[in-house]
Amino acid sequence: MSKSSPATQDGYLRIEHVTKRFMGVTAVENANISIARGEFFSLLGPSGCGKTTLLRMIAGFEFPTEGAIYMDGQDMSAVPANKRPSNMVFQSYAIFPHLNVHDNIAYGLRRLRLSRREVNRRVEEALAMIHLPGLGKRRADQLSGGQRQRIALARALVNRPKVLLLDEPLGALDKKLRESMQLELRELQRSVGITFVFVTHDQEEALSMSDRIAVMFKGKVLQVASPRALYEAPNCREVADFIGSINFFEATVRGQEGGDVILEAAGLGTVRANLPAEHGFISPGARVIAAIRPEKILLLADGNGQPGQSAVGVIGAHAYLGDRDHLQVALSGRKEPVAVAAQQIERALTARFDSGQKVTLGWDKAAMLVLPG
Amino acid sequence: MMATPRRIQSPKTARPSIGLMIFAIAYLVFLYLPVLFLPVFSLNDSAFIKFPLEGFTTRWYDEALSDQNMIAALMNSLKVGAISAVSATFLGLLAAKAVTRYRMRGAGTAMGVIMLPLFIPEIVLGISMVLLFDAVDLPLSLVTVTIGHIMLTVPFAMAVLIARMDGFDKSLEEASLDLGESAWMTFWRVTFPLVLPGIVSSLLLTFIVSFDEFLIAFFLGGTDMTLPVYIWSQLRFPAKLPSVLAMGALILVASCVLVVLAEWLRRRGVSDEAKKGAIGI
Ligand SMILES: Nc1ncnc2c1ncn2[C@@H]1O[C@H](COP(=O)(O)OP(=O)(O)OP(=O)(O)O)[C@@H](O)[C@H]1O
Ligand SMILES: [Mg+2]
C-alpha cells in the first residue's frame, strides 16, 4: 500500500545541492530535487521555510550561494531571469497598473516581433483559456482578485514557457474561489502539458493538486514524494506532523521479527510495526518515534485486541462532526490523550462509548509508522 | 425630562476651541498678509509703497517687462533653474533607484551625505563653494551657480523620487524581467511610466527651489545675476521698487501654479495605498 515515490524520470528541472544564504540567514540548505517534464510539482512548507527563495532561484531573481540549477540539461548559473525558459506567477500577481489587460498579456510577446494580428490572436486565445474572453480593453485597476490571478496566469502562459513557477497564486482568493481555481489550474496544467512548480503552505491544496510534493522545513527539503506516499509513509516527524494530523509515541526498539520491528512505546506497551523502507536508524535500543493517524485507529469490542496492535484506554472528550466522530482517549503511562477519528461505519459502536468509559483501540500493523527519534 | 446619552465625539469631528481658531487665523494672516501686499501695491498708481492706495494701474508691469536688465536676470534664472532641475532630477532618479532597488553596503551613509545640503546653512555652503571654485580656478558665473543649485536640489529630487519608487510593488520590475525584457527595456516599459508623475513633480519642485534661491546665486554668480540677486540689487533705488513688486507678483502667481501642479501630479499618479505619504521632506 505505502510505496515509496516513483522514480524521478528524466529530471527536466534539476536542483542540485542548492544552498542560499542571506547575510547569516540560511534560507535554503542543500536542496536536491529533480522534476520531470510535464509534472505538477509543489513546494510545501510552513511560513519562512524557504519556498519563495527556492522558486526565485529557479526564476533567476536570486542566485544560489552553492550548487546549481539545470533546466532541460542546461546549467542556469550564468543565465539571467530574462533569458530563462521559465515564467512566473507572482504572489501579488504583479499586473502592470499602467497597462490594460491586453497589453499586460502581450507584454512578453514584444520581443518576438509578431504581427499585430498574431499578437491579438494569441492574446484572445489566452483570454479564452482563462475564461475571460473580451476583457482585453479593461484597465488593470478595474479587475477583481480572481481576474487578476487569471490574467497573471495568461500573461505567463502566452509565452509558452517550459516551466511555470507559481508562488502561492491562490493565497489571496476566498475559500470558494480558491477551491474552484485549484481544479481549473490542475485541468489547465494537464491540457498545456507545461511543468508547474507550485508553492503553497496549504497541505490540502498541495495534496489535491500535485503529482509530487517537496516538503520543506527551516530551509531543508525533508521529503520528496507523491501525495499518497507523503501521507502514508512520511520519513520524519516534521513531515508526518505537517501533513494531516497524527499521534506520536516515544518508543525504543526491542528488535526485529520477520519483516517487522518490535517497539516498546510509552502508553502502548509492546508494539509491532512494519519495517520502514529506509531503516538505517533501527537497531536494538535505539530511540524512535511510533506514529499513527487518528483515522487508522479502530474502536474494538472488549477483548478483540491483538497483542502488539491494540491498547486499552479511557474515553475523554467526544466530538460529533457529522461524517465522523473525534475522540480523545487517555492511555496510562502517557500524558497526552490519543486522538481517534471514527468513521460513520463505526457509529453504532461509538454511540455506546461515552466519556469515562473503557475502550479497546486496535490498528493494522502497517498503519503504525516508525520514524527516526 | 429624559436624559440624553452623551455622544462621544471622535477626534476628527470634534470642533476646535475658539482660542485655537483665533490663533490659527492670526497665524495665517501674519504669514500671508505681507505676501498679499505684493500684488496690491504692484497695481497701485503711486511710486511710494504706502496707504492709502491711489488708484489702479498696470504701468509698473509695463516698466518691469521693458527693463532689459530685469529680463536678462529673469532669463538667467530660468536657464539656471531648468538645467538644475533636469540635472538634479536625473541624479535623483539614479540615486533613488540605487537606494530602493539594490542592497548595498554603505547605502545609509551615502544617503546621509547626499541629504546633507538640506541641513547645512546656505551661507556656509555658499562660502565653501566660493573657496572651492577659487581653488580650482573656475571663474564665478552662471555655471558655478548652476553647480551649486544642483547640489542644493538633488536632496529634494531624491526625496520625491524615493517616495515614488517605494510606492510601487517591486515585483512589477521582476515580472518584466521574467517576461523576457532586459533591465534597460524594463526601465522604459515599467519603471519610467510608473515614476513619471514623480519625475514631473521633482522637476517642478527643484526648479522652484533653484529659481527662488538667493544666497548661493549671490556668492557664486560673479557678475552674472539671477533674478533674486538683481531684485536685491535694485532695492537701493526707491523708484524701481514698484516694478520689482510687479515682477515679484508675476513670479508669485507662476510659483503658485507650479506648486499646485506638482502636488496634483504627485497625487494623481500615486496608488491608493501610497497616497498617505506626503512628499517626505
Ligand atoms: N532578500 C532577503 N534577505 C534576507 N533574508 C531573506 C531574504 N529573502 C528571504 N529571506 C529569509 O529567508 C527565509 C526564507 O524566506 P522565504 O521567503 O523563502 O520563505 P517562504 O517559505 O516563502 O515563506 P512564506 O510562506 O512566508 O512566503 C526567511 O527566514 C527570510 O527571512
Ligand atoms: Mg513565500
Side-chain angles (χ1 to χ4, degrees), chain A residues 51-52 91 167-168 199:
Chain A
K51 308 179 294 288
T52 297
Q91 189 162 13
D167 191 358
E168 309 212 16
V199 163

Side-chain angles (χ1 to χ4, degrees), chain A residues 20-23 25-28 44-56 62 91 167-168 199-201 216 218-219, chain B residues 103:
Chain A
K20 178 70 187 180
R21 276 186 282 273
F22 295 108
M23 295 170 279
V25 185
T26 305
V28 175
L44 173 67
S47 187
C49 70
K51 308 179 294 288
T52 297
T53 304
L54 186 52
L55 200 71
R56 288 172 60 81
E62 308 278 0
Q91 189 162 13
D167 191 358
E168 309 212 16
V199 163
T200 179
H201 63 253
M216 295 182 67
K218 293 186 181 157
Chain B
R103 271 171 279 139

Side-chain angles (χ1 to χ4, degrees), chain B residues 224-268:
Chain B
D224 293 338
M225 286 194 206
T226 61
L227 191 61
V229 177
Y230 177 77
I231 289 175
W232 178 80
S233 73
Q234 296 303 298
L235 290 179
R236 284 171 292 162
F237 313 114
K240 289 273 197 159
L241 202 50
S243 65
V244 166
L245 290 186
M247 180 54 78
L250 288 178
I251 291 166
L252 185 68
V253 171
S255 297
C256 286
V257 170
L258 281 187
V259 169
V260 169
L261 202 66
E263 187 58 15
W264 178 74
L265 270 171
R266 192 185 69 78
R267 278 169 193 264
R268 205 185 60 134

